[in-house]
């Protein structure tokens, strides 16, 4: 029997502050350095989606989010390259404890609060697709297929 299809699951967090969201400038990672992304990462084995999103936000920007305060706003089935696809789960919240800061300076150059309707030109296309769905109140897209 052929093996079942498996995909990487990514969790992304859209932190809402008024009419802005938080983006991080990647650096020193080898993937899209100098470009902007949401607080995000890979889901760990056995981890519920919202818990993974809250964990990643804590690791990257030092804030605490109650997973029950996260709402699923978008799902992006992203084809990164012909042999690699991932499923991105985008969560949004305006509730957290602490002030966001660069908790991973070895991976992040700076934090930027931006208008999600006018993303900077150096925003990575994959998270931009999820942010677009969030703005349009649409749940799903296939990106890069």
């Amino acid at each position: 029997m052929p093996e079942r299809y498996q995909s990487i699951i990514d969790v992304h967090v859209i932190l809402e502050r008024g009419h802005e969201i938080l983006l991080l400038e990647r650096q020193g990672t080898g993937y899209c350095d100098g470009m902007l992304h949401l607080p995000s990462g890979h889901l760990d084995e056995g981890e519920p989606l919202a818990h993974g999103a809250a964990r990643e936000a804590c690791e990257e920007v030092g804030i605490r989010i109650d997973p029950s305060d996260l709402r699923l706003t978008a799902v992006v089935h992203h084809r990164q390259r012909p042999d690699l696809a991932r499923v991105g789960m985008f969560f949004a919240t305006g509730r957290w404890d602490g002030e966001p800061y660069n908790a991973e300076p070895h991976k992040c150059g700076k934090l930027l609060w931006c208008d999600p309707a006018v993303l900077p030109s150096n925003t990575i296309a994959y998270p931009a697709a999820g942010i677009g769905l969030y703005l349009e109140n649409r749940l799903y897209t296939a990106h890069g297929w």
Side-chain angles (χ1 to χ4, degrees):
M1 288 184 61
E3 287 189 38
R4 288 183 182 221
Y5 174 77
Q6 295 184 13
S7 186
I8 296 168
I9 304 296
D10 297 322
V11 288
H12 307 258
V13 181
I14 299 171
L15 296 175
E16 305 164 318
R17 185 180 76 179
H19 297 291
E20 297 178 312
I21 64 170
L22 186 67
L23 297 176
L24 292 67
E25 182 185 62
R26 298 182 59 85
Q27 82 173 14
T29 67
Y31 171 73
C32 294
D33 290 337
M35 297 187 75
L36 302 174
H37 205 303
L38 293 163
S40 63
H42 305 129
L43 188 67
D44 287 346
E45 178 68 36
E47 186 175 44
L49 291 167
H51 290 254
R55 174 186 51 77
E56 286 292 346
C58 183
E59 290 174 4
E60 294 190 2
V61 295
I63 59 171
R64 301 271 181 220
I65 300 173
D66 182 330
S68 67
D69 287 331
L70 291 166
R71 65 188 189 284
L72 182 65
T73 61
V75 177
V76 177
H77 194 193
H78 172 66
R79 188 164 194 124
Q80 189 166 332
R81 57 180 198 253
D83 64 333
L84 178 62
R86 27 190 0 111
V87 177
M89 311 299 283
F90 290 74
F91 291 89
T93 188
R95 296 183 55 159
W96 62 83
D97 292 323
E99 183 61 29
Y101 69 94
N102 184 357
E104 294 183 324
H106 58 289
K107 294 181 180 178
C108 177
K110 61 185 172 186
L111 307 182
L112 298 157
W113 288 99
C114 301
D115 179 344
V118 187
L119 292 174
S121 62
N122 63 330
T123 304
I124 300 169
Y126 171 28
I131 294 166
L133 291 174
Y134 156 81
L135 290 172
E136 297 167 9
N137 200 28
R138 291 184 25 227
L139 188 59
Y140 170 79
T141 193
H143 179 261
W145 290 86

